Amino acid sequence: TMIINDMASLLGCTMCISDEITAITFVALGTSLPDTFASMTAAKSEPHADSSVGNVTGSNSVNVFLGLGLPWTIAAVYWAAAGRTGDWLDRHRPLYEAGRLDAAAFERGGFLVPAGDLAFSVAVFAMCATGTLGIIAYRRRRFHAELGGPAGAKATTALLLVGLWLLYIALASWRTVRGQSAPAPGAGEELGAVAIGALALLFGLGLASATIHAASHFLAARHAEKTS
């Protein structure tokens, strides 16, 4: 993971991409591709979808609860014992002078990490995750299967899930780039960006679904002509 992070940071630097955008694109892809192939293998070999879906949720739970919680606890204990050292002041004085840390937190010391654009990114991720759960619930009621199904529904589901990922990347990247300018975007502008992104996703999905449906009918007609 450390090697992937360093290589992705160097790649982002050469491409003039900020660390925030690099983290949700190159780093996320590099650390999640093994889980993707593991889920694909489980989906092919297991009779039920529990293993493939559970692999994704289990991996994310480890990343969130253990991957964030354990380093956070270690850092909190360390900086609480070390106090406001020279290294601590070098790290946090620029944040305090820029107004990203209040006076009480700066005087108290400890492990401090300003959130930045995290709230918007997490909100968009939660929205996309809720949409994914809705898709899984719909597939269970409609096709009695979370994975697979008819060719058209299978392709449409895949496109929708990829579209949700692209929507998250686009909105989170927009907020990072937009947040670097002054003034920062307000809640109305953020909601407008989410609405535009959702409409673009629905339009693209509708167009792709219509294309898949027409292609399926065309191939079925060709097949019927050949067999008749």
Side-chain angles (χ1 to χ4, degrees), residues 28-210:
L29 280 174
T31 56
S32 298
L33 281 178
D35 297 330
T36 303
F37 289 110
S39 294
M40 181 182 67
T41 302
K44 291 181 177 180
S45 59
E46 297 292 331
H48 304 289
D50 296 18
S51 298
S52 56
V53 177
N55 174 70
V56 176
T57 56
S59 175
N60 280 286
S61 66
V62 171
N63 292 335
V64 174
F65 302 127
L66 185 61
L68 289 178
L70 184 59
W72 191 286
T73 302
I74 295 174
V77 172
Y78 172 79
W79 286 113
R84 300 173 68 217
T85 62
D87 185 34
W88 189 95
L89 292 173
D90 292 338
R91 290 169 178 261
H92 295 85
R93 183 177 287 113
L95 298 175
Y96 172 69
E97 294 174 350
R100 300 182 63 186
L101 288 179
D102 57 32
F106 183 74
E107 293 297 331
R108 183 173 60 250
F111 182 53
L112 303 174
V113 182
D117 302 322
L118 184 62
F120 179 81
S121 177
V122 171
V124 173
F125 175 81
M127 179 188 71
C128 295
T130 303
T132 301
L133 293 176
I135 294 170
I136 293 176
Y138 170 77
R139 288 182 57 86
R140 171 171 288 188
R141 292 177 60 90
R142 180 67 175 82
F143 305 110
H144 304 287
E146 286 80 1
L147 303 176
K154 184 165 52 177
T156 302
T157 302
L159 290 174
L160 181 55
L161 293 177
V162 173
L164 287 174
W165 176 68
L166 293 176
L167 176 64
Y168 167 73
I169 295 296
L171 289 176
S173 301
W174 168 82
R175 183 59 180 84
T176 299
V177 175
R178 182 65 178 82
Q180 295 173 353
S181 61
E189 187 175 353
E190 291 178 346
L191 290 175
V194 172
I196 293 174
L199 290 175
L201 174 62
L202 292 176
F203 175 78
L205 179 64
L207 184 62
S209 298

